[in-house]
């Protein structure tokens, strides 16, 4: 009898029933003098005892400023220690932390402040071309619910912290005693490709357990030091990163406010990091540094590559040249806290480069026919769905959008096309919305991208469909060349594909680029590529 594309993740370790604050207390009790947080740019360091003391101080300050259980506190900042303190302090008092993309401009900021009902905002002063104070001033009149703004590195931050003495430790403990692990604790806005983003609402139980089990599968202990160049505003940074780290008594290492490849490798070398996170484009940038070989990365043993499809050739270089023999690939989405599948430490290279792993403990996944919802046989392509503790509570104040994403059986529909192999490992073959339909044939960009990564003149590639009068859509390869002075020509790319890919998959168009349009979390904006190069 043919096996269906369904898998349930079993495990010997039970789910955590803690709130985030209670779980932090466990780490502090076990490892009070071990380092919890290091900020490389400023040189600041915290032991677990010191970190918890600063978290509690900020938690009491937020209570003194009138933040009640369930109130929304916005964090609009680049990676810094204060971001982490806000994350744990809001959890301590049952406030809902709202992550705001550092790249947002005034219109987007206004939408999130209103949609989430943010009453208190913590923000950076500036980042790149953004003057955050000016942007807040621009929209504040339209956001009457926003009663207080505090800027990191500004007297307003110190003024907030100084109010902590108005609330006693006993009052903080009383607030914590009111909290349930099922309370909403975090809103993360998904980067919608059309219309405004949706606020995925997540509980302590959602994100604490997901971070914990990600850490379990890469075998974190209190000895680990994890370099996090991925943005905290995204679940990769704050869940798989911060919560995965502190739930194991390990150390968070911040290499800089935003991604800069040389700063990352310096941080790994200086802090003797054992683990490094990144999206594929980050690892590509690090590997392509002219002085890459000069960095001592021998302390690394593991890490996580996620956020977008992980090219096989890049993964092989990470293992071979960065000493990350136990590197793991994770797959997920914001709405599922985020990880649903992950490769394991003892997986062979094929599984750790050719798949996104198998189902996580305590989670179910299945692959269904997108039209009928019927579970397909293994080896067939369909939509990946996931169910379990990790599925969000819903989209904030948008029950209709929630119902579109989560069906009556509590299955989250990911919108990703996947194949579950006979061994239970999952391959992501594309997005339902990304499929190129050329002359009636379905073309999956991921397959072509993986193949073109082997071309010696190609450092990075994204494949999209653009309108064509004859075929409906045509295949466009957008390429970043390995050597800008010697980019590949279209006929070279086509010759490379000839006899290796079906004729309808071979790119008919080529665009040479210096860089791809990116989200702050490191995902390539394919929709922007499609729009830029419509013929």
């Amino acid at each position: 009898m043919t096996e269906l594309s369904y898998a349930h993740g079993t495990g010997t370790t039970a789910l955590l029933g803690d709130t985030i604050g209670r779980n932090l207390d466990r780490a502090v009790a076990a490892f009070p003098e071990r380092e919890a947080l290091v900020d490389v740019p400023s040189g600041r360091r915290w032991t677990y005892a010191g970190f918890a003391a600063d978290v509690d101080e900020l938690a009491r300050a937020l209570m003194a400023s009138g933040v009640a259980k369930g109130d929304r506190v916005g964090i609009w900042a680049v990676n810094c220690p204060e971001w982490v303190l806000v994350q744990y302090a809001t959890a301590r008092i049952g406030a809902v932390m709202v992550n705001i993309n550092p790249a947002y401009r005034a219109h987007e900021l206004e939408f999130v402040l209103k949609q989430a009902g943010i009453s208190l905002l913590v923000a950076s002063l500036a980042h790149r071309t953004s003057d955050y104070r000016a942007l807040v001033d621009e929209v504040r009149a339209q956001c009457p619910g926003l009663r207080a703004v505090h800027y990191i590195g500004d007297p307003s931050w110190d003024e907030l912290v100084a109010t902590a003495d108005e609330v006693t430790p006993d009052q903080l403990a009383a607030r914590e005693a009111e909290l349930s692990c099922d309370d909403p604790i975090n809103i993360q806005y998904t980067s919608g490709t059309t219309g405004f983003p949706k606020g995925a609402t997540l509980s302590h139980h959602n994100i604490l357990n997901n971070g914990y089990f990600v850490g379990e599968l890469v075998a974190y202990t209190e000895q680990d030091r994890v370099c996090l160049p991925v943005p905290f505003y995204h679940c990769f940074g704050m869940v798989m990163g911060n919560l995965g780290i502190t739930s194991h008594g390990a150390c968070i290492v911040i290499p800089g406010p935003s991604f800069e490849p040389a700063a990352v490798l310096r941080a790994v070398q200086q802090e003797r990091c054992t683990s490094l996170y990144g999206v594929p484009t980050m690892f590509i940038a690090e590997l392509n540094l002219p002085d890459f070989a000069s960095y001592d990365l021998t302390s690394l043993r593991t890490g996580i590559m996620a956020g977008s499809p992980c090219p096989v050739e890049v993964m092989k270089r990470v293992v071979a040249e960065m000493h990350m023999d136990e590197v793991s690939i994770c797959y997920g989405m914001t709405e599922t806290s985020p990880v649903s599948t992950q490769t394991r430490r003892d997986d062979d290279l094929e599984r750790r480069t050719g798949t996104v792993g198998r189902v996580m403990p305590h989670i179910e996944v299945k692959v269904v026919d997108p039209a009928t919802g019927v579970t397909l046989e293994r080896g067939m392509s369909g939509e990946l769905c996931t169910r379990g503790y990790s599925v969000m509570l819903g989209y904030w104040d948008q029950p209709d959008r929630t119902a579109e994403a989560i069906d009556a059986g509590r299955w989250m529909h990911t919108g990703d096309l996947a194949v579950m192999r006979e061994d239970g490992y999952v391959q992501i073959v594309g997005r339902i919305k990304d499929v190129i339909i050329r002359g009636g044939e379905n073309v999956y960009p991921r397959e072509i991208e993986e193949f073109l990564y082997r071309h010696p003149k190609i450092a990075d590639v994204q494949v999209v469909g653009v309108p064509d009068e004859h075929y409906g859509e045509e295949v466009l390869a957008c390429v970043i060349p390995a050597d800008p002075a010697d980019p590949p020509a279209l006929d070279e790319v086509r010759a490379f594909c000839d006899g290796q890919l079906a004729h309808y998959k071979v790119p008919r168009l080529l665009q040479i680029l210096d860089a791809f349009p990116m989200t702050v979390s490191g995902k390539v904006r394919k929709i922007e590529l499609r729009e830029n190069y419509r013929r």
Side-chain angles (χ1 to χ4, degrees), residues 52-65 81-90 92-93 122 157 160-161 163-164 172:
D54 282 1
V55 165
D56 287 1
E57 180 182 49
L58 181 57
R60 289 185 288 115
L62 290 170
M63 288 178 64
S65 70
E82 288 79 7
W83 206 111
V84 187
L85 292 172
V86 170
Q87 177 182 350
Y88 288 80
T90 51
R92 275 264 194 244
I93 65 173
V122 174
W157 172 262
L160 169 65
V161 175
T163 64
L172 173 59

Side-chain angles (χ1 to χ4, degrees), residues 13-24 26 176-183 203-210 212-213 247 362 389:
T13 304
L15 287 168
L16 303 176
D18 291 338
T19 61
I20 290 168
R22 185 174 175 83
N23 186 260
L24 178 61
R26 293 183 190 278
E176 278 202 271
E178 301 173 2
L179 307 184
S180 161
C181 67
D182 293 317
D183 291 337
S203 66
H204 294 268
H205 196 64
N206 287 148
I207 59 178
L208 175 59
N209 275 291
N210 204 255
Y212 174 70
F213 279 100
S247 61
H362 306 293
Y389 76 82

Side-chain angles (χ1 to χ4, degrees), residues 153-172:
D154 178 76
S156 61
W157 172 262
D158 298 327
E159 290 163 9
L160 169 65
V161 175
T163 64
D165 290 342
E166 297 173 21
V167 172
T168 67
D170 285 346
Q171 288 173 304
L172 173 59

Side-chain angles (χ1 to χ4, degrees), residues 154 224 226 277 343 376 482:
D154 178 76
D224 281 292
V226 187
Y277 286 18
T343 57
L376 299 169

Side-chain angles (χ1 to χ4, degrees), residues 164 216 254 427 437:
E216 284 287 284
I254 304 174
Q427 295 171 312
I437 304 176

Side-chain angles (χ1 to χ4, degrees), residues 90-367:
T90 51
R92 275 264 194 244
I93 65 173
V96 180
M97 184 179 73
V98 183
N99 303 9
I100 305 176
N101 188 327
Y104 275 1
R105 308 301 291 180
H107 182 58
E108 297 154 315
L109 173 65
E110 180 184 339
F111 171 80
V112 169
L113 291 172
K114 287 180 175 176
Q115 205 277 329
I118 292 170
S119 60
L120 185 146
L121 176 66
V122 174
S124 294
L125 282 166
H127 176 56
R128 292 180 178 155
T129 60
S130 296
D131 179 339
Y132 285 13
R133 194 193 300 271
L135 289 167
V136 170
D137 289 346
E138 185 177 336
V139 304
R140 196 161 184 180
Q142 286 76 50
C143 303
L146 180 63
R147 55 179 181 76
V149 184
H150 301 277
Y151 295 95
I152 297 166
D154 178 76
S156 61
W157 172 262
D158 298 327
E159 290 163 9
L160 169 65
V161 175
T163 64
D165 290 342
E166 297 173 21
V167 172
T168 67
D170 285 346
Q171 288 173 304
L172 173 59
R175 170 72 68 86
E176 278 202 271
E178 301 173 2
L179 307 184
S180 161
C181 67
D182 293 317
D183 291 337
I185 203 65
N186 183 216
I187 296 175
Q188 299 191 35
Y189 280 87
T190 61
S191 49
T193 53
T194 58
F196 285 105
K198 306 181 292 290
T201 308
L202 302 163
S203 66
H204 294 268
H205 196 64
N206 287 148
I207 59 178
L208 175 59
N209 275 291
N210 204 255
Y212 174 70
F213 279 100
V214 167
E216 284 287 284
L217 293 185
V218 292
Y220 282 156
T221 72
E222 72 276 9
Q223 303 293 330
D224 281 292
R225 301 172 68 79
V226 187
C227 185
L228 292 183
V230 293
F232 289 154
Y233 94 87
H234 191 267
C235 44
F236 197 174
M238 67 157 284
V239 179
M240 300 156 68
N242 295 341
L243 290 172
I245 294 164
T246 60
S247 61
H248 290 87
C251 180
I252 299 165
V253 176
I254 304 174
S258 57
F259 176 67
E260 199 278 302
V264 172
L265 299 188
R266 282 196 301 271
V268 170
Q269 177 176 278
Q270 172 188 310
E271 296 298 324
R272 304 303 294 160
C273 293
T274 59
S275 177
L276 172 62
Y277 286 18
V279 298
T281 51
M282 290 179 176
F283 284 103
I284 290 168
E286 291 154 10
L287 288 162
N288 288 344
L289 284 172
D291 62 345
F292 170 77
S294 69
Y295 294 95
D296 180 4
L297 308 179
T298 54
S299 60
L300 289 173
R301 68 165 180 89
T302 190
I304 294 175
M305 195 188 297
S308 61
C310 306
V312 172
E313 296 305 314
V314 174
M315 186 63 148
K316 288 178 178 175
R317 287 193 66 193
V318 166
V319 170
E321 300 174 38
M322 300 182 80
H323 308 282
M324 293 167 61
D325 293 338
E326 299 175 16
V327 66
S328 181
I329 285 183
C330 292
Y331 162 82
M333 61 192 304
T334 304
E335 291 90 336
T336 56
S337 300
V339 180
S340 296
T341 68
Q342 185 173 350
T343 57
R344 305 315 202 247
R345 296 171 67 207
D346 58 354
D347 281 342
D348 58 28
L349 190 61
E350 186 278 328
R351 286 191 174 95
R352 286 195 289 126
T353 58
T355 78
V356 291
R358 52 191 167 93
V359 66
M360 294 274 286
H362 306 293
I363 289 175
E364 298 169 273
V365 294
K366 65 178 180 178
V367 178

